[in-house]
Amino acid sequence: MTLSSDQITIINQNWTNDDGTHDGGVATGVGFTISWQRGPINVAGRNGAFLIEVMEACHCQLEYFQNSGYSCEENTEALEYLDKAIQSLKSRRTRRESEGTFGTHQPDR
């Protein structure tokens, strides 16, 4: 999938196994490449990025801007949305850990 708008192009490839489960992928754009986790952690180990890590990196960059000459209302709003998204993913992880499904391809209940 290629997303393009206002001179920004992101190429995103999602890979699947023969059984149709997610098996990582790559997202690229000018100045970045993200290799997504391939396979369940309990089988493949850590070998790629998770969404929450990328969101947290974006959050850190926006906080830096807010504490510099680039502070603005739009950055504040973006930080609020990233905070909510990060918290949602942390909640999902906590739930899956308590269910014993974190790090597996077992679907949510």
Side-chain angles (χ1 to χ4, degrees), residues 4-107:
S4 295
S5 65
D6 298 333
Q7 302 176 1
I8 298 171
T9 300
I10 298 172
I11 300 170
N12 194 56
Q13 298 175 2
N14 289 296
W15 304 325
T16 56
N17 289 320
D18 292 337
D19 65 1
T21 56
H22 178 70
D23 192 32
V26 177
T28 59
V30 175
F32 76 92
T33 299
I34 303 168
S35 298
W36 300 112
Q37 173 71 23
R38 292 197 71 182
I41 298 169
N42 63 342
V43 175
R46 278 301 307 265
N47 58 43
F50 288 98
L51 284 170
I52 194 168
E53 296 165 334
V54 175
M55 288 181 193
E56 287 175 340
C58 292
H59 192 281
C60 288
Q61 189 65 25
L62 280 169
E63 281 185 328
Y64 170 79
F65 288 154
Q66 285 300 85
N67 294 317
S68 71
Y70 301 109
S71 180
C72 64
E73 289 181 29
E74 293 85 356
N75 287 348
T76 298
E77 184 178 15
L79 281 165
E80 289 169 1
Y81 284 113
L82 280 170
D83 283 335
K84 185 169 174 94
I86 290 166
Q87 185 55 49
S88 293
L89 292 176
K90 286 181 178 179
S91 294
R92 179 180 183 268
R93 178 185 179 139
T94 299
R95 177 181 52 77
R96 288 184 61 87
E97 286 174 336
S98 70
E99 294 172 349
T101 58
F102 179 72
T104 72
H105 276 169
Q106 191 171 350

